[in-house]
Amino acid sequence: MRYAMAVDTRKCVGCSDCVVACQTENNVPIGFCRDWIVEVTNGTYPQLEMELRSERCNQCVNAPCVRCCPTGASHIVDGGIVLVTHNECIGCGACMASCPYDARYPHPDGYVDKCTFCIHRIKNGLSPACVAVCPTKCLYFGDLHDPNSEVSVVLKKRKSKTLIPEAGTDPQLYFLI
Amino acid sequence: MTSRRDFIRITAMGAGVLVAGTAAYKVIKSLSSPEEVKKLVVDLKRTPTYCEVCFWKCAGWVYKTSEGKIWKIIGNDEDPNCNGRFCPRGTGGVGMYYDESRLKTPLIRVEERGKQVFREASWDEALELVSVKMKEVSAKYGPESMALFTHGSGSAYLSTLLKAFGSANIAEPSYAQCRGPRDEAFTATFGEEVYSPEITDIRDTKCLVLIGSHIGENMHNGQVQEMSDAIDKGATIITVDPRFSTAAAKSKFWLPIKPSTDMALLLSWIHEIIYNDFYDKKYVEKYCSGFDKLKEHVKDFTPEWAYGITTINPELIRKAAKEMADASPAVIVHPGRHVTWYGDDTQRIRAVAILNALLGSWGRRGGFYRPAKFELASYPIPAFKAPAKTWLDAFPGKYPIASLPVSNALIDASIPENKPEYQIKGWIVNGTNLISTIPNTANTLKAIQNLDLIVAIDTMPMEITGWADVVLPECTYLERYDALRAGPHRKPSLALRMPATEPLNDTRSDYWIARELSKKLGLVSYFPFEKQEDLLDWQLKKAGTSLDEMQKIGVKIFEREADDLYFAENEDVEFFTDSGKIELYSAYFEGAGFDPLPRYVAHDEPADGYYRLIYGRAPMHTFSRTANNPNLTDLMDENSVWINPKVAKEWGLKTDQYIWLKNQDNVMSDFQVKVRVTERIRWDSVYIVHGFGHAQKQMQRCFGRGVSDTQMITKVLVDPLMGGTGMRSNFVTFVTEKTEQEVVS
């Protein structure tokens, strides 16, 4: 099993609903977030193009945050999801420094927090909160090892890219272009 | 071409500060074992609601924790308005409940040595005062001297109260400040408006044309969803906007129009479609009247003619017209929503309606569908007495085609210098922060000085509540029942809102407020049900369901009576116009003394060093009412002024620098606004998101953040047809150092 997410940049309107849904679902304190929106504009008026995309932890196969965690709090579970065991985390920030995607934040309660792909939901057969809420349905989630999963199907059909592939992290967050 | 790149991470992350050491360390069990998760899911209690953050009224579920604390709100899968998916504002609706700046208890103004302050009061005392003052106004000037400004679900019962009191002066700013011109234009053309949610069949369209309508930034949920579906199915989007909007970025053709010249573009499109025989001949012949007059009228409006006005390349105009024609009839030239721009808005939207008629999109799949709505039984109450005078009698002959009360006309009628035939002397203001809603704030404040009574009913201490004599704190939509939602859609539907929890503090629902006030005014016969639950149950039983059932399902969908979502092949259709046809030439407008066919009139242009002020929406905020919502403020806590890099260079302005704006009438913004240097805006315009720059200190989170577009809008071009307030004719310049006394209220 290998969980992955694909984000359709053609459909994303950058509304940040994924961010609010994640915050309420996971009780992320106000002022912090596990996912966010990036807007990139290229060109000169009126020859312009713009990409909007919802970003979060890339759930890397080769995760630098896990490698550098001194206590083993950051670890990878079945399906390739990178998790932080809160009571083993000492908040040292090594994982934050090593993450090329800036995907982690220091929780005010003293540990480092990040996207879990809503593991508590997917274990119950639900999709992650961001996927479930997205009004444009631009987020696709599922098991890459299952050729019929939503994410496998859409990645087969469409061209995609990953972020900072040169970091060698083998990210599992794909962007459909 | 030099390439520029703006990179913006929209959501702010926690300020990168590490919480180190063990002092702040707390053991939090991670929720990862399935048993715990299951427990969490089962323990939840959910109650149905429909959203009140905007007018789209999406139905959803409020989830609570096992301790009864509101946790999250998610969409109801059965609901046609949201299809189980809320927008960020709806998802962030929890913040409305938790906002600690909320009004907590009734307040009564105390005049204290020239200083206006409030004291807390009981509901009984506050309502008693309101009823005594209302009776005084009625005795002195007649009941029609009371007016209600309202928006949202509270309207239902407060309107009943005002009508029972003897006044028909019930205005929603959503008419003259937003969608009125479009409703009148479509009614004049097709005999029918486009309703809310709009009857645009975006789901199945092949070509969606947006004129200044920024779907995606205005998160009108169902439309955003359907636009996304249409993109999936390969539909073309054409966007006309001086700004490179989100929709423009997803468009095949973006027409970067010079602001205020849309009419010229529309006329040239009509010209192209007629003179290239692109129009739907069978449809026009069967359903439309006035085609020959229209054809003659647009004879000279070529794309080259429009180029000189709009700055849009004639080839682009042609290509777009061909694209629409190729998609016809599955094409939507979108009617827009907030269309009060230049004072000739009804005529501009008439051109939009005409274009749709020529393309045969009305009543066709992928164009405009025929809506169906559930007609709720009205409960037995005495008939309302016909009011002696209505708002129309205040200024006879003004705005002859307005079909609803015009809020700005009611404000004008509150000012004696305007010599209204009769004066408005009392306002009840519910859910409409008139200071941020109605342009020309000075005029509104002048009206306020002449009133005998202002009552503000709101959840938040908005600017208008600061001017009220009595402030009545509503509970939020999460804490109350409301009227059933029975809006139009493809199928008729009903949605229930019920309280998820007890109201916080000493707040009450509008039903309770209206009924209690009716008792004090001797009008309780208009509110025969003591408990709103009984009223709803009565109505629901008449509808073949019950309160009990609706509490479990939230939304009920009914089948359409007939298979008539679209016109049948060769169907004879009678339109609700005078002629029974789609009126390309409007004899109705002509009869009222206006142009029967739309024509282009040039608008003022900015002086040197000034830029046209364009405003719009961000997805996470709505109206001016969400700026203090903790969840939504977290996403966007101030607006910024978008400035083209060429202009910024000329002025030496940099991104993130704070400046003031000053308009053509020398009005300086109360607060500073952040500069955003971006290619996404034309050099002759600047853009800000509406609803910021709040000057009410009690709104702790948003006070003084960003600039209020409403404050900068002092030149208002009122549409002579229906009273709509054109708000895009103001020009601003930049002030980097403020020498005047700082104005902070």
Side-chain angles (χ1 to χ4, degrees):
Chain A
M1 197 154 47
R2 173 68 245 190
Y3 289 118
M5 194 183 286
V7 181
D8 190 344
T9 59
R10 273 197 334 211
K11 292 201 289 180
C12 177
V13 294
C15 72
S16 304
D17 200 5
C18 45
V19 182
V20 198
C22 171
Q23 284 176 325
T24 56
E25 177 70 34
N26 296 299
N27 299 314
V28 175
I30 298 277
F32 301 94
C33 54
R34 290 180 175 185
D35 55 352
W36 58 91
I37 296 289
V38 166
E39 173 192 320
V40 185
T41 311
N42 280 307
T44 308
Y45 194 99
Q47 262 79 48
L48 289 168
E49 51 186 50
M50 177 171 78
E51 184 174 283
L52 288 164
R53 54 177 193 253
S54 167
E55 290 187 9
R56 57 193 48 61
C57 170
N58 282 250
Q59 314 291 358
C60 308
V61 174
N62 181 18
C65 55
V66 172
R67 269 204 318 275
C68 73
C69 176
T71 67
S74 282
H75 60 288
I76 297 180
V77 296
D78 277 356
I81 301 174
V82 179
L83 294 180
V84 182
T85 308
H86 299 164
N87 56 7
E88 286 173 14
C89 173
I90 55 167
C92 71
C95 55
M96 291 174 59
S98 72
C99 174
Y101 307 105
D102 198 12
R104 295 170 163 239
Y105 76 92
H107 193 285
D109 284 344
Y111 56 85
V112 171
D113 193 35
K114 65 176 283 296
C115 165
T116 63
F117 268 170
C118 281
I119 191 164
H120 64 288
R121 287 174 59 96
I122 57 177
K123 278 186 177 171
N124 279 276
L126 301 167
S127 54
C130 55
V131 177
V133 80
C134 177
T136 64
K137 294 190 194 161
C138 77
L139 302 176
Y140 299 88
F141 178 80
D143 178 7
L144 278 184
H145 293 171
D146 171 5
N148 299 318
S149 74
E150 246 190 354
V151 71
S152 299
V153 171
V154 78
L155 283 172
K156 234 172 283 159
K157 258 202 312 212
R158 296 267 303 273
K159 266 196 196 153
S160 66
K161 64 174 181 188
T162 54
L163 297 178
I164 328 180
E166 63 274 21
T169 55
D170 196 359
Q172 297 303 310
L173 183 61
Y174 297 87
F175 296 91
L176 305 170
I177 45 180
Chain B
M1 189 181 77
T2 54
S3 171
R4 300 191 66 91
R5 187 168 186 258
D6 302 337
F7 181 94
I8 292 189
R9 183 159 164 158
I10 290 175
T11 324
M13 284 275 278
V17 182
L18 287 182
V19 184
T22 49
Y25 186 82
K26 219 157 101 189
V27 179
I28 299 282
K29 242 168 135 189
S30 87
L31 261 181
S32 50
S33 85
E35 297 73 41
E36 280 177 78
V37 170
K38 211 162 184 185
K39 188 166 162 279
L40 187 70
V41 174
V42 173
D43 276 350
L44 292 170
K45 274 195 189 158
R46 66 175 199 183
T47 48
T49 191
Y50 60 86
C51 188
E52 186 75 12
V53 189
C54 91
F55 52 81
W56 206 260
K57 293 188 165 73
C58 297
W61 299 105
V62 184
Y63 280 81
K64 288 183 287 183
T65 60
S66 46
E67 295 85 39
K69 220 169 125 72
I70 289 182
W71 174 32
K72 61 175 181 177
I73 314 171
I74 64 168
N76 184 322
D77 290 333
E78 303 305 314
D79 182 39
N81 291 30
C82 81
N83 306 299
R85 288 159 187 263
F86 267 18
C87 81
R89 301 169 313 219
T91 309
V94 282
M96 225 164 131
Y97 172 75
Y98 284 113
D99 195 332
E100 67 283 5
S101 303
R102 278 175 63 172
L103 290 167
K104 296 176 176 68
T105 182
L107 301 170
I108 291 175
R109 172 183 297 286
V110 183
E111 303 290 340
E112 206 179 61
R113 271 183 279 168
K115 218 173 144 191
Q116 298 188 326
V117 288
F118 292 92
R119 67 175 171 83
E120 293 187 357
S122 69
W123 274 98
D124 190 59
E125 189 193 5
L127 292 174
E128 184 64 29
L129 181 61
V130 172
S131 71
V132 167
K133 291 270 192 181
M134 280 176 78
K135 284 181 204 160
E136 275 175 24
V137 166
S138 179
K140 262 178 147 166
Y141 312 101
E144 62 280 355
S145 283
M146 279 302 300
L148 169 66
F149 298 88
T150 182
H151 188 270
S153 305
S155 308
Y157 306 114
L158 293 168
S159 298
T160 303
L161 180 76
L162 210 73
K163 284 187 222 161
F165 186 70
S167 174
N169 292 328
I170 301 160
E172 300 186 17
S174 56
Y175 180 73
Q177 278 65 54
C178 185
R179 62 185 171 79
R182 145 196 122 169
D183 292 347
E184 301 308 345
F186 269 72
T187 304
T189 312
F190 295 101
E192 220 175 332
E193 54 162 314
V194 294
Y195 305 98
S196 175
E198 284 86 358
I199 53 175
T200 43
D201 201 19
I202 299 175
R203 187 174 72 181
D204 286 329
T205 200
K206 291 187 186 137
C207 179
L208 175 63
V209 185
L210 304 173
I211 299 164
S213 177
H214 46 306
I215 296 184
E217 284 157 286
N218 72 12
M219 281 301 294
H220 300 168
N221 195 348
Q223 286 194 43
V224 176
Q225 295 190 15
E226 292 201 10
M227 183 170 87
S228 179
D229 290 345
I231 291 173
D232 254 348
K233 290 190 215 162
T236 296
I237 302 174
I238 297 171
T239 302
V240 180
D241 205 315
R243 188 172 63 91
F244 190 61
S245 62
T246 297
K250 304 194 180 300
S251 297
K252 179 169 178 183
F253 298 117
W254 170 43
L255 286 68
I257 196 166
K258 177 175 165 181
S260 86
T261 66
D262 308 76
M263 184 74 101
L265 172 68
L266 289 163
L267 290 171
S268 71
W269 270 344
I270 294 172
H271 171 97
E272 272 300 286
I273 281 164
I274 290 181
Y275 284 92
N276 287 302
D277 281 343
F278 285 165
Y279 63 99
D280 188 331
K281 283 194 197 63
K282 244 173 94 182
Y283 184 94
V284 169
E285 217 162 85
K286 189 168 174 67
Y287 298 128
C288 302
S289 68
F291 178 75
D292 294 340
K293 283 182 185 153
L294 173 68
K295 186 172 179 178
E296 177 59 28
H297 177 71
V298 299
K299 197 172 62 186
D300 300 327
F301 302 143
T302 60
E304 280 71 19
W305 166 81
Y307 176 42
I309 298 167
T310 60
T311 73
I312 299 170
N313 184 325
E315 270 322 294
L316 188 53
I317 296 177
R318 287 205 168 86
K319 275 186 191 161
K322 179 77 170 47
E323 190 84 21
M324 289 182 227
D326 288 346
S328 163
V331 50
I332 299 163
V333 186
H334 198 285
R337 185 125 189 161
H338 181 82
V339 291
T340 42
W341 299 352
Y342 302 112
D344 57 359
D345 307 301
T346 310
Q347 293 286 13
R348 184 184 70 248
I349 310 297
R350 264 272 296 155
V352 169
I354 289 169
L355 207 47
N356 279 301
L358 293 172
L359 294 163
S361 66
W362 187 266
R364 303 301 248 319
R365 181 184 292 277
F368 294 79
Y369 64 77
R370 283 170 161 166
K373 187 173 182 269
F374 192 92
E375 292 300 334
L376 282 163
S378 37
Y379 50 92
I381 51 170
F384 297 117
K385 272 184 298 193
K389 292 173 217 158
T390 73
W391 72 277
L392 286 166
D393 300 308
F395 299 108
K398 258 194 163 178
Y399 317 132
I401 69 145
S403 58
L404 287 172
V406 169
S407 38
N408 34 305
L410 287 176
I411 291 172
D412 290 343
S414 309
I415 302 172
E417 288 94 307
N418 293 334
K419 299 200 170 32
E421 292 292 311
Y422 73 97
Q423 202 192 322
I424 302 292
K425 294 297 284 184
W427 293 359
I428 300 174
V429 185
N430 163 237
T432 58
N433 183 16
L434 297 183
I435 308 294
S436 298
T437 308
I438 310 290
N440 196 351
T441 315
N443 194 56
T444 308
L445 294 179
K446 197 168 164 192
I448 286 173
Q449 306 307 327
N450 287 295
L451 295 173
D452 287 1
L453 171 68
I454 306 184
V455 184
I457 306 173
D458 215 315
T459 61
M460 295 294 295
M462 295 289 187
E463 281 80 354
I464 189 68
T465 57
W467 294 97
D469 301 303
V470 184
V471 178
L472 304 176
E474 278 182 276
C475 52
T476 69
Y477 71 107
L478 298 168
E479 303 156 282
R480 69 189 197 213
Y481 282 105
D482 256 308
L484 295 159
R485 189 202 79 190
H489 217 287
R490 292 182 176 97
K491 287 180 178 179
S493 70
L494 286 180
L496 174 73
R497 172 185 293 161
M498 69 177 286
T501 177
E502 287 290 308
L504 276 183
N505 305 310
D506 202 6
T507 59
R508 298 282 195 276
S509 73
D510 291 303
Y511 183 84
W512 186 90
I513 295 171
R515 189 168 192 276
E516 290 303 305
L517 210 43
S518 79
K519 283 197 228 164
K520 294 190 183 287
L521 292 166
L523 302 168
V524 76
S525 55
Y526 291 89
F527 295 89
F529 296 92
E530 192 196 329
K531 285 168 77 186
Q532 194 182 359
E533 295 92 298
D534 298 336
L535 187 169
L536 297 175
D537 193 44
W538 183 90
Q539 274 187 318
L540 286 166
K541 285 199 170 123
K542 293 263 174 194
T545 168
S546 64
L547 186 60
D548 199 40
E549 187 192 21
M550 288 299 285
Q551 286 179 342
K552 290 185 191 100
I553 59 175
V555 170
K556 196 171 178 78
I557 309 291
F558 300 83
E559 285 309 309
R560 284 179 80 95
E561 280 177 10
D563 178 18
D564 59 352
L565 192 57
Y566 311 111
F567 295 174
E569 188 72 29
N570 281 323
E571 181 180 337
D572 289 321
V573 181
E574 191 170 351
F575 298 87
F576 300 115
T577 54
D578 288 343
S579 61
K581 298 267 186 193
I582 298 171
E583 296 193 353
L584 301 176
Y585 180 95
S586 179
Y588 169 54
F589 278 13
E590 194 174 36
F594 300 110
D595 291 329
L597 289 164
R599 64 193 175 89
Y600 171 71
V601 180
H603 293 289
D604 283 354
E605 290 186 29
D608 266 359
Y610 281 79
Y611 306 88
R612 189 179 294 273
L613 176 68
I614 307 178
Y615 58 88
R617 302 262 180 238
M620 55 290 278
H621 285 289
T622 193
F623 309 120
S624 60
R625 72 202 294 185
T626 53
N628 205 64
N629 177 313
N631 294 72
L632 302 178
T633 306
D634 198 25
L635 295 173
M636 182 182 183
D637 60 355
E638 61 187 320
N639 54 5
S640 57
V641 56
W642 295 25
I643 301 174
N644 184 279
K646 287 188 184 72
V647 177
K649 198 173 167 197
E650 218 173 283
W651 284 81
L653 298 174
K654 301 251 174 324
T655 288
D656 288 345
Q657 171 182 358
Y658 279 95
I659 59 168
W660 287 268
L661 300 181
K662 189 173 79 173
N663 79 358
Q664 75 287 336
D665 295 330
N666 278 321
V667 171
M668 180 88 88
S669 62
D670 277 351
F671 306 108
Q672 287 177 292
V673 64
K674 216 186 231 182
V675 168
R676 176 182 173 186
V677 179
T678 174
E679 293 285 351
R680 292 178 60 194
I681 184 78
R682 268 174 79 103
W683 48 88
D684 54 6
S685 310
V686 295
Y687 173 77
I688 56 175
V689 168
H690 170 74
F692 287 89
H694 282 278
Q696 186 81 346
K697 273 199 176 122
Q698 289 87 336
M699 290 203 283
Q700 304 157 20
R701 222 169 274 103
C702 66
F703 169 74
R705 308 218 55 145
V707 70
S708 160
D709 52 329
T710 315
Q711 195 202 354
M712 295 287 101
I713 298 169
T714 51
K715 184 178 172 194
V716 183
L717 301 178
V718 180
D719 192 329
L721 283 83
M722 50 62 67
T725 47
M727 298 184 257
R728 299 231 162 143
S729 287
N730 289 264
F731 309 116
V732 294
T733 192
F734 314 123
V735 178
T736 48
E737 273 172 48
K738 200 170 174 182
T739 46
E740 292 99 310
Q741 183 79 32
E742 203 163 317
V743 193
V744 176
S745 47

